[in-house]
Amino acid sequence: MALPWKLKFFLVSLVVVSLLSVHTADASSFNLSTLIRGIELPAYLSLNSGPDSSSCDGNLETEQKSREETTADTAMPLKLHLNHRVAREPSSSHKTKKQTLHESTYRDTFRIQTLITRITERKNRDSASRAALGINLGRKVGGAQITPTTAPVPAPQLNGQLMATLESGVSLGSGEYLMDVFIGTPARHFSLILDTGSDLNWIQCAPCFDCFEQSGPYYDPAQSASYRNVSCSDPRCGLVSAPDPTRPCHGPTQSCPYFYWYGDKSNTTGDLALETFTVNLTAPGDSHSIENLIFGCGHWNRGLFHGAAGLLGLGRGQLSFASQLRSLYGHTFSYCLVDRNSDLNVSSKLIFGEDKDLLGHPELNYTSFVSMGNDNLTDTFYYVKVKNIIVGGDKLSIPDKTWELSKDGIGGTIIDSGTTLSYFSDPAYAIIREAFVKQINAYPLIEDFPILSPCYNISGVEKVDLPSFAIEFADGAVWNFPTENYFIRLDPDEVMCLAILGTPQSSLSIIGNYQQQNFHILYDLKQDRLGFAPMRCAEV
């Protein structure tokens, strides 16, 4: 009987990864006695320093919390430039806004399918994993079960400021923005997609057995003096899914194989490893090196990530780039996305740590993230609780159940950096659309305009006057948007369209990056809340 192709892929992947780990064991293994005990990922990182093997006594949870609070109080924020990926494409300058819109909504369709599938798959996988293994994606080494534990390590004191460049992308299955990073020793340049909807950081690695096209050569671990494999005996190995979770690692020194799936036939498989990541700061010639960052060295990578070298996860999970920097910069990160009409030389910003200018902003507002207790559905995605949509000052009659996130992972609203437009569940979108149609009478309605609706003919109109739009959250916070964040002008057609769509065949709603432009968006995971303040992001 022929095996399903997915099973064949898993089996072949595991065999080849095992062979690779044996082949490179002498070059990439490291002294297990120097490993940091425990599984709290931020503790494993160091800034311009090597692994810390110091022991920790007493109440581990209290010590970890105290150190992270101390770091957050003393560390200067890390500010990085973000690049809009479309700006880097040679053909992008020849595209009209309508063509770009078509491509963005096409990408969004795949993105939404990915998010929905991953939410469903995450729920099913976690249930099966807990039932089969008794822990969250644990591993067996030589018949013994490895159970993650927690042990803190003192975080270094920082005096710098870290800021990265973002670039908007055309990837179908992942985010719109890229960050330039330098990986390894000596450091080599790569552009990685940012994604608030996933956790694992990974890059295409040589030897690349099945990889997508990227700009520049693949990362080669054999050419880096700072590359280290994570072994099967390392508790951190339990944080990733194996290519075949029913088969154990064969020995404690074997490199830890991983498999990460994005739900749209996009996936990456390879070795879990440690490496030095260097990022440029806003000051010319200034940079920071972050050692021992956990990432996936992908030897088999499939999907619509073309052009980028891999992905940086900004999700809530322990493996994400944001979570791993927590011991260095505290529990907050933020970004500020310039509007699409900005000069291409102006970059968006990604900031790790507390930005004093943002915290002192008079219009900074907060809404709480949705928490479901111990349920892992909210481990990666950033859910917020919508209560009302307000159009032209009127609260729309959208049933409360439209916004509910069930324990089965159905529905809810997420804020996402990788989806371009905003999408509301079809019942809510229909009501929102109708509200705008009723309130806009000054401009001719264009029937059957492709993709977006409603659209209006604004030919000869110098200043367009449109109804206001706001989102009210369950805790009372209100997010008011400028017109350019929810209407898009398509020139030279002289058409203005509502930049909101219905979520196809799903009750999930998404606040996309188009609505987030020129707002400083703060992710505060210490107080479990989202912050937002109007800002000229080009000036951050």
Side-chain angles (χ1 to χ4, degrees):
M1 182 178 67
L3 291 174
W5 73 267
K6 287 187 177 179
L7 181 57
K8 289 181 181 178
F9 177 74
F10 289 160
L11 294 177
V12 172
S13 298
L14 187 61
V15 171
V16 179
V17 169
S18 299
L19 291 174
L20 279 173
S21 64
V22 172
H23 177 70
T24 60
D26 293 337
S28 60
S29 62
F30 54 98
N31 188 347
L32 295 178
S33 65
T34 64
L35 279 175
I36 308 304
R37 294 177 293 117
I39 208 68
E40 181 68 18
L41 293 198
Y44 299 130
L45 288 181
S46 59
L47 191 71
N48 298 324
S49 61
D52 188 341
S53 58
S54 60
S55 61
C56 301
D57 300 319
N59 188 315
L60 300 182
E61 183 177 354
T62 302
E63 290 179 16
Q64 177 70 24
K65 182 177 180 181
S66 175
R67 288 184 178 119
E68 289 181 348
E69 288 176 347
T70 300
T71 302
D73 290 339
T74 59
M76 294 292 289
L78 177 67
K79 296 185 179 181
L80 308 169
H81 295 284
L82 300 179
N83 300 314
H84 204 256
R85 190 171 176 190
V86 171
R88 287 192 180 179
E89 295 182 345
S91 61
S92 62
S93 59
H94 305 296
K95 295 176 182 177
T96 65
K97 285 189 176 181
K98 183 186 288 187
Q99 290 173 321
T100 303
L101 173 64
H102 275 263
E103 292 180 359
S104 294
T105 52
Y106 180 64
R107 293 193 300 270
D108 282 351
T109 300
F110 279 85
R111 170 73 173 179
I112 294 167
Q113 290 174 352
T114 297
L115 295 175
I116 294 169
T117 306
R118 288 183 60 209
I119 290 169
T120 305
E121 185 268 348
R122 175 77 176 263
K123 171 183 175 292
N124 295 336
R125 186 198 67 203
D126 285 350
S127 299
S129 297
R130 291 193 190 98
L133 301 177
I135 64 170
N136 184 18
L137 294 177
R139 304 255 184 161
K140 291 182 179 179
V141 178
Q145 186 75 53
I146 293 180
T147 304
T149 57
T150 301
V153 172
Q157 302 302 308
L158 304 179
N159 296 313
Q161 186 178 63
L162 183 59
M163 182 190 273
T165 349
L166 293 186
E167 152 186 20
S168 175
V170 294
S171 161
L172 297 181
S174 56
E176 281 279 331
Y177 289 85
L178 297 182
M179 188 171 81
D180 290 325
V181 297
F182 295 84
I183 301 175
T185 306
R188 291 177 170 83
H189 169 259
F190 299 94
S191 291
L192 304 183
I193 297 166
L194 291 186
D195 186 7
T196 56
S198 63
D199 297 321
L200 181 68
N201 312 299
W202 60 270
I203 189 171
Q204 297 201 110
C205 283
C208 235
F209 299 107
D210 185 7
C211 292
F212 53 82
E213 182 182 354
Q214 73 174 55
S215 300
Y218 301 130
Y219 163 80
D220 188 351
Q223 296 181 8
S224 174
S226 51
Y227 176 85
R228 300 289 185 271
N229 275 331
V230 171
S231 69
C232 283
S233 63
D234 192 312
R236 289 167 287 190
C237 189
L239 292 176
V240 292
S241 297
D244 182 356
T246 64
R247 298 184 62 184
C249 289
H250 296 293
T253 59
Q254 176 189 329
S255 60
C256 174
Y258 76 88
F259 173 74
Y260 200 87
W261 180 56
Y262 291 88
D264 61 347
K265 298 182 180 180
S266 298
N267 54 68
T268 175
T269 300
D271 298 310
L272 196 65
L274 305 173
E275 185 55 285
T276 296
F277 280 55
T278 302
V279 288
N280 287 333
L281 307 187
T282 45
D286 197 5
S287 64
H288 271 295
S289 294
I290 303 165
E291 299 182 355
N292 301 315
L293 191 134
I294 301 174
F295 78 112
C297 187
H299 301 291
W300 297 266
N301 313 290
R302 292 183 175 182
L304 302 164
F305 307 103
H306 301 292
L311 186 144
L312 273 181
L314 290 178
R316 302 185 70 171
Q318 288 180 303
L319 284 174
S320 78
F321 193 71
S323 294
Q324 291 196 58
L325 264 63
R326 189 176 301 166
S327 66
L328 304 179
Y329 297 100
H331 291 70
T332 64
F333 74 92
S334 61
Y335 54 72
C336 203
L337 307 178
V338 300
D339 66 79
R340 303 301 176 95
N341 298 320
S342 296
D343 188 293
L344 296 182
N345 295 321
V346 177
S347 66
S348 301
K349 301 297 188 298
L350 172 65
I351 302 172
F352 292 98
E354 294 185 346
D355 184 280
K356 302 302 182 184
D357 291 336
L358 173 59
L359 295 180
H361 196 290
E363 296 181 65
L364 177 61
N365 210 340
Y366 294 99
T367 186
S368 299
F369 288 125
V370 174
S371 176
M372 297 180 68
N374 294 325
D375 196 300
N376 280 350
L377 288 172
T378 56
D379 274 2
T380 295
F381 303 101
Y382 297 96
Y383 285 91
V384 290
K385 181 63 181 296
V386 174
K387 181 180 181 180
N388 287 304
I389 299 295
I390 306 171
V391 174
D394 297 333
K395 293 183 179 180
L396 307 184
S397 299
I398 300 175
D400 291 342
K401 64 180 182 179
T402 307
W403 311 112
E404 292 294 331
L405 171 62
S406 73
K407 292 185 177 181
D408 293 329
I410 299 173
T413 303
I414 65 173
I415 181 165
D416 183 40
S417 68
T419 306
T420 304
L421 303 183
S422 289
Y423 293 78
F424 294 99
S425 63
D426 277 335
Y429 167 67
I431 295 173
I432 294 170
R433 180 193 177 280
E434 185 62 27
F436 277 105
V437 171
K438 286 183 177 179
Q439 294 191 33
I440 301 175
N441 300 306
Y443 318 110
L445 180 66
I446 301 175
E447 301 290 347
D448 301 323
F449 191 84
I451 305 176
L452 298 180
S453 179
C455 292
Y456 297 92
N457 185 340
I458 55 169
S459 177
V461 180
E462 190 170 321
K463 184 178 180 181
V464 181
D465 186 20
L466 295 168
S468 62
F469 178 80
I471 298 175
E472 181 185 8
F473 297 99
D475 50 15
V478 177
W479 194 345
N480 294 290
F481 298 93
T483 303
E484 59 269 21
N485 283 38
Y486 57 94
F487 266 87
I488 183 169
R489 181 166 183 150
L490 302 174
D491 293 324
D493 301 277
E494 295 189 292
V495 171
M496 186 80 85
C497 295
L498 180 66
I500 295 172
L501 285 169
T503 311
Q505 300 178 338
S506 172
S507 55
L508 177 70
S509 296
I510 303 168
I511 301 174
N513 62 55
Y514 191 85
Q515 261 192 290
Q516 299 174 47
Q517 65 184 2
N518 277 331
F519 278 91
H520 201 153
I521 311 296
L522 172 67
Y523 293 77
D524 181 351
L525 298 181
K526 182 178 180 180
Q527 300 191 54
D528 216 25
R529 60 185 182 175
L530 176 78
F532 47 91
M535 190 82 68
R536 296 301 303 173
C537 291
E539 301 172 3
V540 172

